[in-house]
Amino acid sequence: MYHLPRFLNFRGRPTAELSIDLPPKPSDPEPFIPPDIEDMSPIEPVIPNDLVPVRPYRFYSKRNTWKHVQRLSSEEIRDLLEDDDSPRYASSVRIITWNIDFQFDHQAERLIAALRYLENDVLHCKEGEPPYEPCVICLQEVHEKVLPVLLKDEWVKRSFCVTPVTKDKWPEMAFYGNVTLVSKSLRVVKSDILHYGHTEMSRTALAVYIMLSEPEPSHERAVICVVNTHLESLPQGAIARPRQLELAARFLKQMDVRGGVVVGDMNPLSPEDAGLALEVGLRDAWRRGDKDEAGFTWGLQGHNEKGFPAARFDKVLYLPRRGYRLDEPERIGKGAKVEGLEDQWISDHYGLSTVLRMVARRNSA
């Protein structure tokens, strides 16, 4: 309620005070990182949680250079969603996640072998051509020294936008981190990287936002977010992982975002990790449980000096009931080695491959 000031009338007497009911002001949007999140944690953050804008880069052959992709504002994204004249987008996207391990020797050779494996054995690309289906590739544990190798790869230059392209967007002391490749055929509207505060390992969540369309008859457009993350490792990381996954899940719950997935190495080394996805409102695209060996992604190849049992470290988690569905993930990288290097695995992890498919909702036809 707003009170008008009192004035003198023509007789010199004060007028009565008037009151007018004004419409309520729209509340400010909730900050991405809740100000009280530290109050809810049993441990102090090592560094502040920090959300950092990061630009995807696309290679332009005519200029022989990588150039950043335009980042859209919230208003521009909303206009794109509501514009009836905007183009139809893909109705499905293949999503791949793979921890390629920074600790093994021959990081450059293993990265190149991983790219050739994805190009030929997973995406079945014809020679000299990009993938026939749009895809997002989420890599974890990319060593800083192989970033130039990634950007020089002809298949990557021909087929993908890449983010980030330098280590500058990783936490200050990080020498490895997450990198996401997005098919050039997909419209990327923005991307962000979240530096977790509760980490002693410089862990992050890297989010890319892409445009998809529902299939016929609606063709309604939607923003889908793909979050590439690597949760805290080792049993002692159990106290940090709940807060990290909670923050990663917030990417999918923002205004004007239909939903999406959180993928990557979840390091579920404690019994409490089994219920983390449900606690933050996510579901697991793998529906056979953690004890089914067909889902194990770590401990089956490569080094395991500490003798941890094989387990399903890598997961595809999604926000349910949002007008899309996820295929059950398939393992990739099983038995994959570096050609020319005897007994050198590409990674100690298997990767995962799934497809997110938009569905036409009944009320949008």
Side-chain angles (χ1 to χ4, degrees):
M1 181 175 290
Y2 178 72
H3 298 279
L4 293 176
R6 301 177 73 182
F7 297 94
L8 297 179
N9 64 16
F10 67 94
R11 291 191 176 93
R13 298 174 182 174
T15 60
E17 187 179 71
L18 297 177
S19 300
I20 298 177
D21 289 323
L22 297 177
K25 293 182 179 180
S27 58
D28 293 332
E30 181 182 357
F32 184 89
I33 302 172
D36 61 345
I37 192 168
E38 312 307 348
D39 299 335
M40 299 182 288
S41 175
I43 58 172
E44 291 294 323
V46 178
I47 59 173
N49 293 291
D50 193 13
L51 184 65
V52 181
V54 57
R55 288 175 167 176
Y57 278 71
R58 177 186 179 120
F59 185 78
Y60 290 87
S61 57
K62 290 184 179 179
R63 300 180 181 179
N64 194 33
T65 187
W66 288 89
K67 184 175 176 57
H68 68 78
V69 177
Q70 179 187 6
R71 177 187 176 92
L72 300 188
S73 67
S74 298
E75 292 76 15
E76 290 171 323
I77 293 173
R78 199 168 296 122
D79 290 342
L80 200 61
L81 289 169
E82 297 173 356
D83 183 5
D84 292 335
D85 295 328
S86 65
R88 295 176 183 175
Y89 302 99
S91 294
S92 65
V93 57
R94 180 166 295 280
I95 299 170
I96 295 168
T97 175
W98 200 0
N99 181 328
I100 58 172
D101 184 59
F102 78 94
Q103 290 183 308
F104 283 176
D105 293 333
H106 308 291
Q107 287 98 339
E109 292 86 350
R110 289 190 295 106
L111 173 65
I112 293 171
L115 294 174
R116 299 290 76 75
Y117 177 85
L118 292 171
E119 178 183 13
N120 299 316
D121 296 86
V122 178
L123 297 171
H124 307 292
C125 297
K126 295 182 180 180
E127 185 174 356
E129 295 187 9
Y132 72 92
E133 61 179 340
C135 64
V136 177
I137 301 173
C138 301
L139 302 177
Q140 301 92 45
E141 293 199 22
V142 179
H143 198 285
E144 62 177 324
K145 71 181 184 182
V146 304
L147 287 171
V149 177
L150 177 72
L151 298 177
K152 290 178 182 177
D153 187 85
E154 291 298 326
W155 180 61
V156 172
K157 291 194 295 184
R158 184 169 57 244
S159 307
F160 297 102
C161 298
V162 179
T163 189
V165 295
T166 71
K167 62 167 289 184
D168 296 342
K169 293 296 183 178
W170 292 342
E172 185 176 356
M173 302 302 293
F175 59 91
Y176 69 91
N178 304 340
V179 175
T180 298
L181 288 65
V182 183
S183 286
K184 287 183 177 180
S185 61
L186 291 169
R187 177 71 185 272
V188 183
V189 294
K190 68 173 185 175
S191 55
D192 297 297
I193 186 169
L194 174 66
H195 299 177
Y196 292 134
H198 297 91
T199 179
E200 295 182 353
M201 303 175 180
S202 300
R203 297 295 163 81
T204 65
L206 174 62
V208 295
Y209 302 79
I210 60 174
M211 297 293 298
L212 295 180
S213 293
E214 295 176 358
E216 294 182 355
S218 65
H219 296 296
E220 183 175 328
R221 293 168 292 279
V223 176
I224 295 295
C225 185
V226 179
V227 182
N228 174 5
T229 195
H230 187 186
L231 302 188
E232 205 79 353
S233 302
L234 304 176
Q236 57 265 37
I239 198 167
R241 289 191 287 271
R243 190 64 64 243
Q244 292 174 350
L245 187 58
E246 178 185 359
L247 285 169
R250 293 180 69 85
F251 282 109
L252 313 185
K253 303 173 183 178
Q254 298 175 90
M255 184 181 298
D256 298 323
V257 176
R258 176 73 67 88
V261 296
V262 178
V263 305
D265 182 356
M266 306 299 172
N267 277 305
L269 287 163
S270 300
E272 295 78 12
D273 290 311
L276 287 187
L278 288 175
E279 290 175 12
V280 300
L282 302 181
R283 299 293 184 272
D284 198 326
W286 175 261
R287 298 171 179 85
R288 300 187 232 174
D290 289 337
K291 295 183 179 180
D292 190 325
E293 294 184 5
F296 289 1
T297 61
W298 184 86
L300 301 171
Q301 62 189 31
H303 300 297
N304 182 8
E305 293 87 353
K306 297 183 183 295
F308 291 120
R312 191 170 70 94
F313 274 31
D314 305 86
K315 298 182 180 182
V316 174
L317 309 176
Y318 67 97
L319 195 63
R321 299 186 299 277
R322 292 301 179 104
Y324 52 79
R325 59 183 176 84
L326 272 294
D327 290 356
E328 185 175 70
E330 297 179 353
R331 295 184 299 181
I332 63 172
K334 183 177 179 180
K337 294 186 177 182
V338 181
E339 186 175 352
L341 293 178
E342 186 177 357
D343 295 328
Q344 178 64 69
W345 305 98
I346 290 177
S347 175
D348 57 344
H349 282 253
Y350 295 167
L352 297 173
S353 177
T354 185
V355 178
L356 184 149
R357 305 179 191 275
M358 301 296 293
V359 297
R361 296 182 294 174
R362 294 178 182 177
N363 61 354
S364 61

